[in-house]
Amino acid sequence: MKEFRVLDRVEDFRDLKDLSEEELKLLAQDIREYIIDVTSKNGGHIGPSLGVVELTIALLRAFNPEVDRIIWDIGHQAYSYKILTGRKEQFKTLRQYGGISGFLKIKESPYDHFGAGHSSTSISAALGMRVAKDLLKKEGYTIAVIGDGAMTAGQAFEGLNHAGWLDPSKFIVILNDNQMSISPNVGAIYTYFNKIITNEVYQRSRQKLKDVLKKVFGESGAKFARKLEEYAKGLFTPGVIFEELGFTYVGTIDGHSITDLEQTLNNVKKMRGPILVHVITQKGKGYKPAEENPTPFHGISPFDKITGVPIKKSVEKPSWSKAFGEALVELAEKDEKIVAITPAMREGSGLTEFSERFPDRFFDVGIAEQHAATFAAALSKEGMKPVASFYSTFLQRAYDQVVHDIAIQGLPVVLAIDRAGIVGEDGPTHHGVFDISFLRSVPDIVISAPKDWQELRDLLYTAVNSGKIFAIRYPRGTVTGDKKEGFSEIKIGSWEKISEGRDIAILAVGKYVQRAVQVKELLKKYGYNVTVINARFIRPMDIEILDETLRTHKYIITMEDGSLNGGFGSAVGEYILDNSYTNALLRFGIPDRFIGHGKIELLERDLGLLPEQMAEKIKEFISQENYKVVG
Ligand SMILES: Cc1ncc(C[n+]2csc(CCOP(=O)(O)OP(=O)(O)O)c2C)c(N)n1
Ligand SMILES: CC(=O)[C@@H](O)[C@H](O)COP(=O)(O)O
Ligand SMILES: [Mg+2]
């Protein structure tokens, strides 16, 4: 590792106490350099982490993670925390297969007091620990560090509401306000935070303003300045929203001054009741490309440290997200009832162009998946055609709204489910592997998965014109196949026969259709002639093709980038049993456990989901004693 002036002398948080103010500043620089270096190689959430280097140092000087609980909301900003809590060396393995996680994990370190990955859970977690400590008469503070973006989610206010009611002491919420979510933050709460900040700016500049007005306009200028002051003071008292919820509001504090932060933290430690400290930081602080362009540097793939330009392999095809967003723009041009909704994932969901082309029909609702789903249902009720885009993993937050507000009421909403399947380095909190199972359990939802670019377009076209509740799931990464101009309607519940063989039939979903074709080619070398079917509708299934396949093929193989529990393979198995078929069924998918983090192909290798592995498994399966293949 390169020579660091101070970081080399700091083993962990215990060594922070003896450092001088000057050394602390140098340490912050060292940590920034280290974060930039590692994320330039491994990728990761560089912007959020660079924004809280000083805050992390101040927290670890004012508190002791051996007894105090520091809970980072989402945990994507906790790289400094990891470096200073015993993972300085391991930090080089960040987000890599077999390396440390990009989020906090209670199994990774005793100092990771509570895991996350999904937002807005930190206040609830800190409060739970607070109550437990008080009941068990255990020492220590509980501190939640939550971003301004995460503060736009309902659960954050559920936690605040409960904390204000219980009125615990030694309970501190630190609002890390960098005015950014992934995109610029949205919502009234964001405007409110900005008022506090601008009011601060006004407070600081009011004296200057008065002097200037007086100098230029004499007495009348002074009078005008007094009027202005009356108005501004009447505007609001900072933090009143939190004060009304029972918190003592302390802010705003410069989040890049270790001295100010430490002083404030040591003061609030002596205060009674729940405290909210409002800290102002800059996302990407200390790395120019990230400061100037915080959104792409929120979470980035490996990049050139000097220029900040991602070192991406040149890929001429778009991501599935971009392909979705482009198709939606084309459809929205011709149908003004189409509206797009995202819970704070505009860029990641490929909706930037849509938001620029149709600003009145684009809604970033903040980190509010539950609201997004019900909001979509109501838009539909009034005659709009809502397309609500969710990462599969974040859709889990809105499960009840999908059941209660969309499905029971039969309100046609298109659920564009992005990042469906194994997503890679973000790991278990982000793999989108449960959506097939949880949507299959809800009646009246069409569940589909395109095999390639054009099918994504055609499914979206079919969905927006279907008048049904229509889910389309697609993976993270580059789209497969090509697109044609325009769209064609796909008969709902129709599968597509890719190849005609005998005895062995593979029913594949989404990105696994291409893999099924690879497996077919591998098995051909052993004399097997395999049927491959694109099961693009997980529900309703194509019963005609399914019956015919079950009647003419002994061995049925299913492939899906989703949990086997209640997945597509289960649906086929249920059908076989319910209809007294006697076929042999082999299901490929995600087993009944959480999957770690790392490159997707490495995770799939561990799951036996690579083409060669599946071909071997199929050969073994059909050679079992109790079944004989008719060659
Ligand atoms: C439930 C949920 N929805 C969406 C996300 C995706 N996400 C990750 S970080 C982020 C923005 C968080 O903003 P903020 O809390 O202000 O933290 P910052 O990145 O600014 O430090 C979002 C939307 C998530 N992690 N969890
Ligand atoms: C921390 C978080 O939840 C998001 O930043 C997420 O990591 C984005 O995932 P993608 O990189 O797949 O858009
Ligand atoms: Mg923020």
Side-chain angles (χ1 to χ4, degrees):
M1 193 158 77
K2 84 176 278 296
E3 297 290 306
F4 287 114
R5 290 154 299 185
V6 180
L7 182 58
D8 287 352
R9 293 188 272 125
V10 171
E11 253 331 286
D12 66 20
F13 61 92
R14 294 176 185 82
D15 300 330
L16 296 177
K17 291 248 180 294
D18 318 331
L19 297 180
S20 69
E21 196 175 325
E22 198 38 45
E23 285 171 332
L24 288 170
K25 283 191 183 129
L26 289 173
L27 173 65
Q29 281 173 26
D30 287 351
I31 290 175
R32 281 200 164 86
E33 254 180 73
Y34 190 27
I35 289 173
I36 294 163
D37 188 46
V38 170
T39 50
S40 68
K41 298 185 187 95
N42 300 15
H45 293 94
I46 174 173
S49 287
L50 290 177
V52 295
V53 175
E54 287 82 7
L55 176 58
T56 308
I57 293 170
L59 276 167
L60 288 170
R61 278 169 55 94
F63 296 98
N64 171 7
E66 303 275 22
V67 281
D68 301 319
R69 301 295 177 240
I70 301 172
I71 293 153
W72 294 89
D73 203 277
I74 306 175
H76 64 317
Q77 76 290 62
Y79 293 176
S80 308
Y81 186 78
K82 285 184 174 248
I83 291 167
L84 293 171
T85 53
R87 286 161 283 183
K88 187 167 75 166
E89 263 313 299
Q90 282 173 297
F91 184 64
K92 283 184 283 199
T93 68
L94 179 74
R95 293 164 58 91
Q96 290 192 322
Y97 179 82
I100 61 170
S101 162
F103 305 101
L104 298 173
K105 291 238 171 294
I106 53 179
K107 291 186 190 119
E108 185 177 291
S109 161
Y111 306 116
D112 289 5
H113 299 126
F114 205 74
H118 286 197
S119 85
S120 319
T121 59
S122 59
I123 298 171
S124 308
L127 187 62
M129 291 183 183
R130 176 70 274 140
V131 168
K133 278 183 174 289
D134 293 343
L135 290 172
L136 297 169
K137 306 216 177 337
K138 279 164 80 176
E139 267 313 296
Y141 288 80
T142 59
I143 303 113
V145 186
I146 183 167
D148 56 305
M151 204 48 115
T152 60
Q155 186 172 345
F157 282 85
E158 291 167 17
L160 289 175
N161 178 50
H162 193 203
W165 174 258
L166 292 180
D167 190 33
S169 290
K170 297 189 171 187
F171 179 79
I172 301 165
V173 173
I174 294 176
L175 169 57
N176 169 35
D177 185 354
N178 54 23
Q179 303 89 61
M180 289 294 293
S181 188
I182 295 180
S183 330
N185 205 353
V186 295
I189 191 76
Y190 163 62
T191 321
Y192 173 66
F193 291 160
N194 267 352
K195 266 188 192 167
I196 293 176
I197 298 169
T198 37
N199 180 47
E200 296 266 306
V201 170
Y202 160 69
Q203 295 298 353
R204 277 198 297 280
S205 56
R206 88 170 172 243
Q207 197 44 52
K208 273 192 229 119
L209 189 67
K210 271 163 77 170
D211 299 347
V212 163
L213 288 169
K214 196 156 179 214
K215 205 184 289 167
V216 173
F217 300 105
E219 196 33 47
S220 62
K223 231 162 96 202
F224 175 69
R226 275 195 298 280
K227 278 261 162 291
L228 191 73
E229 186 156 24
E230 280 321 303
Y231 168 71
K233 247 199 307 213
L235 214 57
F236 63 92
T237 41
V240 67
I241 197 170
F242 300 111
E243 301 268 345
E244 290 304 306
L245 287 175
F247 281 72
T248 304
Y249 171 87
V250 176
T252 58
I253 313 298
D254 173 0
H256 298 299
S257 159
I258 297 171
T259 317
D260 291 2
L261 286 164
E262 220 179 315
Q263 213 159 44
T264 306
L265 294 174
N266 286 322
N267 289 341
V268 301
K269 280 172 85 169
K270 300 173 202 127
M271 291 162 72
R272 241 204 53 40
I275 315 282
L276 184 129
V277 181
H278 189 177
V279 171
I280 308 299
T281 61
Q282 183 185 13
K283 202 160 184 173
K285 175 86 177 173
Y287 183 56
K288 213 142 193 51
E291 287 181 355
E292 289 166 355
N293 216 347
T295 297
F297 282 89
H298 167 83
I300 192 163
S301 49
F303 60 93
D304 177 304
K305 261 194 314 191
I306 313 298
T307 63
V309 176
I311 308 165
K312 255 198 186 92
K313 297 181 278 312
S314 67
V315 185
E316 69 291 349
K317 290 186 181 173
S319 65
W320 285 92
S321 316
K322 272 232 170 347
F324 155 72
E326 176 195 79
L328 192 61
V329 165
E330 287 176 46
L331 293 170
E333 275 164 349
K334 299 196 180 66
D335 185 342
E336 56 187 32
K337 290 191 173 168
I338 291 176
V339 288
I341 301 152
T342 175
M345 301 307 286
R346 179 182 65 170
E347 288 77 12
S349 306
L351 287 171
T352 305
E353 190 197 347
F354 188 102
S355 70
E356 289 157 359
R357 292 287 302 279
F358 309 105
D360 301 343
R361 290 194 271 155
F362 170 75
F363 301 93
D364 176 351
V365 298
I367 307 181
E369 287 81 6
Q370 296 165 325
H371 165 65
T374 307
F375 178 62
L379 280 159
S380 171
K381 178 77 176 53
E382 277 306 311
M384 297 306 287
K385 291 181 177 177
V387 178
S389 166
F390 297 87
Y391 281 29
S392 167
T393 188
F394 301 140
L395 179 61
Q396 293 161 191
R397 276 269 167 99
Y399 181 64
D400 183 52
Q401 286 72 20
V402 168
V403 176
H404 181 264
D405 300 317
I406 297 175
I408 291 176
Q409 301 193 102
L411 295 171
V413 169
V414 176
L415 299 171
I417 304 176
D418 199 332
R419 302 318 191 267
I422 297 282
V423 295
E425 287 81 358
D426 272 349
T429 51
H430 285 65
H431 293 317
V433 294
F434 305 115
D435 57 273
I436 296 177
S437 315
F438 69 70
L439 289 178
R440 265 197 69 227
S441 58
V442 183
D444 301 339
I445 300 180
V446 174
I447 309 170
S448 67
K451 71 170 187 302
D452 62 19
W453 190 350
Q454 186 56 36
E455 198 161 69
L456 170 66
R457 292 167 52 84
D458 293 341
L459 282 170
L460 185 59
Y461 172 72
T462 306
V464 295
N465 295 306
S466 68
K468 290 187 177 300
I469 306 165
F470 205 118
I472 309 172
R473 73 186 309 258
Y474 43 93
R476 185 173 204 270
T478 305
V479 71
T480 51
D482 291 310
K483 78 165 179 176
K484 298 192 278 296
E485 283 319 307
F487 302 92
S488 342
E489 182 158 0
I490 299 179
K491 182 168 171 287
I492 293 176
S494 68
W495 288 352
E496 177 195 18
K497 209 170 259 188
I498 305 283
S499 67
E500 187 79 58
R502 54 178 296 183
D503 289 328
I504 306 169
I506 303 177
L507 313 178
V509 166
K511 88 172 199 181
Y512 274 66
V513 173
Q514 188 179 42
R515 199 158 303 182
V517 171
Q518 290 170 299
V519 170
K520 174 181 86 84
E521 291 312 314
L522 290 168
L523 288 172
K524 206 187 261 178
K525 290 184 206 138
Y526 298 93
Y528 300 117
N529 178 9
V530 175
T531 296
V532 174
I533 289 165
N534 166 19
R536 57 196 171 189
F537 287 95
I538 293 149
R539 180 175 64 194
M541 294 197 288
D542 185 325
I543 298 307
E544 200 182 315
I545 289 188
L546 183 54
D547 277 331
E548 184 231 334
T549 307
L550 292 171
R551 279 198 299 273
T552 54
H553 296 74
K554 183 74 195 158
Y555 306 97
I556 304 299
I557 319 287
T558 60
M559 295 183 182
E560 61 196 294
D561 194 4
S563 173
L564 288 170
N565 294 346
F568 170 68
S570 299
V572 172
E574 289 154 21
Y575 189 83
I576 289 172
L577 290 173
D578 294 347
N579 293 279
S580 313
Y581 282 106
T582 57
N583 303 69
L585 173 65
L586 174 63
R587 299 178 298 150
F588 287 102
I590 311 304
D592 185 13
R593 60 182 171 85
F594 292 109
I595 308 306
H597 63 268
K599 287 208 176 320
I600 292 175
E601 46 280 5
L602 295 178
L603 300 174
E604 290 181 331
R605 180 203 59 195
D606 288 355
L607 296 169
L609 295 175
L610 298 181
E612 300 71 15
Q613 294 171 307
M614 292 204 270
E616 280 312 306
K617 178 90 179 160
I618 291 170
K619 273 168 53 203
E620 186 194 307
F621 170 65
I622 58 180
S623 62
Q624 281 165 1
E625 261 322 287
N626 32 356
Y627 295 118
K628 276 283 163 282
V629 179
V630 178

